[in-house]
């Protein structure tokens, strides 16, 4: 029996503080729409078969239940170097800070954006939630770090009462390119450590879905950004001389876990901490992940929203490194097709 020739899909893979990011930068179908936000809607509808491509690259046996990546697209206009559609096992997300850091490093590694070998290079990127940037610092050509500059971020609501399977808690909602629910892990009788990974995922999913359709999680500016993207369960580790130290696990989509401290999730925490005064204007948040990798974060004040709500611009700094280049394909005879996921 003969089959049609296989199509090879080329990717470049990075990790940011332990979290994977698979970059697909060639051979993608054209998507309708003039902005990345519009193209995301088309991708969700599987225009050109692009959602099947997401499944192929994210699902086992080529990926796993916690895989993450992005499809490079044209920018919204000449003000950005390129656009990106972020994806995970359950679909296409609106924001991704760890991915933005990886994309900035990739763009300067490859020469897509000319890099200053002894300074900071700004890589402007259009994403579904708006225009962001990666500020990539090098010394002698070697990477020092990269800073994710996010969209304006703000507190949505505080102390929302919620009954969970582990008792009553209060939840804070904040926006930083996506909506996140923040809960102190200790209020659920948990700590952010690998030994409690399964329980943390279960509670993260429970809280997300309990609030996903709530009135507070409806984003009036753009309904496409509505819904709780993830739950941040956090531990207070005290302070150092420059500011607070916290550890978190971000459970996003439907039970996926960020191995990094979560870039946009860190932005959501920054919005809350700046509003409460825990993170001062001249202080730095040391934000640690469940695998003890670190982002540092600061903020700048921005223009208040129309209803008077204060906003901040989070700056989240980390590192990203290439892990490999890959050639994937789907053999037409492969009965597993685009694959499967196991949790």
């Amino acid at each position: 029996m003969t089959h049609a020739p296989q199509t090879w899909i080329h990717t470049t893979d990075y990790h940011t503080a332990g979290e994977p990011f698979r970059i697909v930068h060639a051979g993608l179908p054209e998507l309708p729409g003039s902005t990345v936000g519009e193209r995301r809607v088309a991708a969700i509808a599987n225009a050109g078969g692009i959602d099947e491509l997401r499944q192929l690259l994210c699902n086992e046996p080529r990926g796993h239940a916690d895989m993450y990546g992005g499809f490079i697209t044209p920018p919204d206009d000449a003000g950005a170097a390129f656009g990106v559609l972020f994806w995970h096992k359950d679909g296409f997300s609106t924001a991704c800070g760890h991915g933005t850091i990886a994309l900035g490093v990739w763009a300067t590694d490859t020469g897509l954006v000319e890099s200053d070998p002894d300074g900071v290079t700004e890589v402007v990127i259009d994403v579904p939630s708006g225009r962001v940037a990666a500020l990539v610092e090098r010394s002698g050509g070697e990477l020092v770090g990269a800073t994710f500059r996010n969209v304006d971020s703000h507190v949505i609501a505080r102390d929302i009462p919620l009954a969970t399977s582990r008792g009553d808690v209060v939840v804070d909602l904040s926006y930083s390119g996506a909506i996140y629910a923040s809960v102190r892990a200790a209020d659920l009788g948990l700590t952010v450590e690998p030994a409690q990974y399964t329980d943390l995922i279960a509670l993260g999913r429970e809280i997300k879905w309990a609030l996903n359709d709530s009135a507070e999680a409806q984003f009036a500016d753009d309904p496409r950004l509505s819904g709780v993207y993830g739950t941040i369960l956090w531990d207070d580790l005290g302070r150092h001389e420059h500011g607070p130290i916290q550890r978190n696990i971000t459970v996003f989509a439907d039970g996926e876990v960020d191995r990094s401290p979560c870039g946009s999730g860190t932005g959501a925490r920054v919005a809350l901490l700046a509003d409460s005064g825990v993170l001062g204007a001249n202080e730095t948040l040391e934000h640690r992940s469940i695998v003890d990798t670190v982002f540092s974060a600061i903020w700048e004040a921005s223009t208040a929203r129309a209803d008077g709500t204060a906003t901040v611009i989070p700056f989240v700094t980390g590192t990203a490194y290439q892990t490999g280049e890959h050639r994937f394909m789907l053999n037409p005879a492969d009965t597993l097709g685009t694959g499967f996921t196991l949790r």
Side-chain angles (χ1 to χ4, degrees):
M1 181 180 296
T2 61
H3 300 284
Q6 295 101 13
T7 298
W8 289 97
I9 303 158
H10 298 254
T11 74
T12 305
D13 285 26
Y14 280 72
H15 84 85
T16 306
E19 176 71 358
F21 193 76
R22 177 163 287 166
I23 302 169
V24 189
H25 47 82
L28 293 165
E30 286 192 21
L31 293 174
S34 59
T35 67
V36 174
E38 292 172 357
R39 294 186 187 103
R40 175 175 177 262
V41 173
I44 292 170
N46 196 29
I50 198 166
D51 190 55
E52 294 171 11
L53 179 57
R54 172 194 65 80
Q55 294 174 50
L56 183 76
L57 296 174
C58 192
N59 292 348
E60 295 184 52
R62 298 165 190 84
H64 50 80
D66 295 285
M67 192 66 204
Y68 208 105
F71 297 135
I72 302 301
T73 74
D76 292 359
D77 57 49
F82 53 88
V84 62
L85 293 175
F86 298 119
W87 47 258
H88 48 71
K89 74 177 181 66
D90 296 306
F92 295 89
S93 55
T94 61
C96 179
H98 93 271
T100 301
I101 289 172
L103 286 164
V105 177
W106 165 76
T108 53
D109 278 348
T110 60
L112 179 65
V113 174
E114 185 177 355
S115 177
D116 184 344
D118 287 292
V120 176
T121 301
E122 181 182 48
V123 181
V124 181
I125 307 168
D126 284 328
V127 306
S129 57
R131 180 161 285 175
V132 299
L135 308 173
V136 183
E137 182 179 1
R138 294 182 185 271
S139 177
E142 297 297 319
L143 179 69
V144 175
T147 297
F148 162 50
R149 184 181 68 218
N150 203 1
V151 297
D152 285 3
S153 306
H154 65 278
V155 176
I156 296 173
R158 287 188 179 273
D159 297 330
I160 301 170
L162 184 67
T164 77
S165 58
R166 280 181 170 259
D168 296 343
V169 295
V170 292
V171 182
D172 297 330
L173 286 181
S174 54
Y175 172 80
S176 190
I179 296 173
Y180 288 90
S182 284
V183 179
R184 187 190 296 264
D187 292 349
L188 296 161
L190 297 169
T191 58
V192 179
E193 59 182 10
Q196 298 189 21
Y197 182 74
T198 301
D199 289 338
L200 290 162
I201 292 174
L203 268 296
R205 293 179 73 194
E206 182 180 339
I207 292 164
K208 170 199 164 76
W209 292 118
L211 293 173
N212 190 64
D213 296 323
S214 66
E216 293 90 345
Q218 307 315 301
F219 197 66
D221 294 5
D222 186 343
R224 296 173 299 183
L225 306 180
S226 291
V228 176
Y229 177 55
T231 302
I232 302 172
L233 301 157
W234 59 276
D235 289 339
D236 185 353
L237 303 184
R239 297 180 67 86
H240 54 66
E241 60 179 324
H242 302 296
I245 309 170
Q246 295 188 351
R247 176 176 288 116
N248 88 96
I249 182 172
T250 300
V251 183
F252 64 95
D254 188 20
E256 191 161 343
V257 171
D258 199 324
R259 274 74 176 139
S260 82
C262 187
S264 53
T266 297
R269 292 296 301 155
V270 164
L272 289 164
L273 297 173
D275 177 73
S276 65
V278 173
L279 179 64
N282 297 312
E283 292 186 323
T284 299
L285 169 66
E286 180 181 307
H287 214 206
R288 309 190 77 89
S289 74
I290 192 169
V291 296
D292 216 32
T293 54
V294 182
F295 287 160
S296 61
I298 60 173
W299 59 272
E300 291 181 359
S302 189
T303 305
R305 294 171 55 78
D307 63 2
T309 301
T311 67
V312 299
I313 301 172
F315 292 78
V316 181
T317 300
T319 55
Y321 298 99
Q322 186 176 343
T323 59
E325 295 183 354
H326 302 277
R327 297 172 70 232
F328 294 103
M329 51 87 81
L330 174 58
N331 189 311
D334 187 345
T335 57
L336 282 178
T338 56
F340 58 91
T341 56
L342 285 177
R343 165 73 49 208

